[in-house]
Amino acid sequence: MTETTERMDSLTSPAAEELPWIEDAGNVAPRDARALSKVFFDQLQVLEEGTREYQYARNTLIEMNLSLVQFSARRFRNRGSGDMEDIVQVGTIGLIKAIDRFDLSREVEFTSFAIPYIVGEIKRFFRDTSWAVHVP
């Protein structure tokens, strides 16, 4: 039995059997990530929150879509305040919020939904850390 099948066997629910096992989700090509994301979002709707299967699906979605954060963060690399690593971390928070709030029934591409969340979190970070007068 291979390591992939052993790990999938450890996920016990019937819905988890439909989830593909991805060893290194961070190295999935963006085009493949789009197709795989749809599969994982389908399963997130079925799986019970808090289960290992749900966490696997959610964490895999986060890792597969980190390239969106990298892409969005590049726009802000020359802003002066904030290290690129900080910008990526803040953008990742936006990605997580987008994953938690995404609804497949609206028939919108996930990338179109997620990028405004990511950019919004990054802009909020700059607003909160760089303005002398803070907006309430």
Side-chain angles (χ1 to χ4, degrees):
M1 201 185 257
T2 66
E3 182 178 336
T4 301
T5 354
E6 288 173 4
R7 291 210 179 158
M8 280 309 292
D9 288 344
S10 69
L11 301 174
T12 55
S13 80
E17 294 173 9
E18 297 175 21
L19 287 173
W21 177 257
I22 300 173
E23 191 64 38
D24 188 6
N27 288 332
V28 175
R31 181 171 293 180
D32 296 334
R34 283 184 178 179
L36 283 170
S37 290
K38 290 178 183 176
V39 172
F40 280 90
F41 277 118
D42 279 337
Q43 290 304 310
L44 274 184
Q45 292 178 344
V46 176
L47 294 170
E48 185 178 333
E49 191 171 340
T51 61
R52 286 185 12 209
E53 295 86 2
Y54 183 90
Q55 289 302 317
Y56 165 72
R58 186 171 177 261
N59 290 341
T60 303
L61 278 168
I62 293 167
E63 289 177 37
M64 278 193 306
N65 291 291
L66 279 175
S67 62
L68 291 174
V69 176
Q70 295 286 340
F71 172 78
S72 300
R74 278 187 228 124
R75 285 180 41 188
F76 299 94
R77 67 177 166 239
N78 295 325
R79 287 282 178 112
S81 68
D83 186 22
M84 186 65 171
E85 193 173 300
D86 294 336
I87 297 169
V88 170
Q89 284 182 349
V90 170
T92 303
I93 293 169
L95 174 65
I96 292 168
K97 288 180 180 180
I99 288 171
D100 290 342
R101 295 178 180 146
F102 184 66
D103 184 13
L104 270 175
S105 66
R106 294 190 175 204
E107 298 180 7
V108 175
E109 190 74 33
F110 176 68
T111 54
S112 301
F113 182 82
I115 287 181
Y117 272 92
I118 295 166
V119 171
E121 282 296 321
I122 294 171
K123 285 180 178 179
R124 189 173 299 113
F125 167 73
F126 280 114
R127 183 188 68 218
D128 292 347
T129 59
S130 61
W131 284 9
V133 177
H134 291 282
V135 177

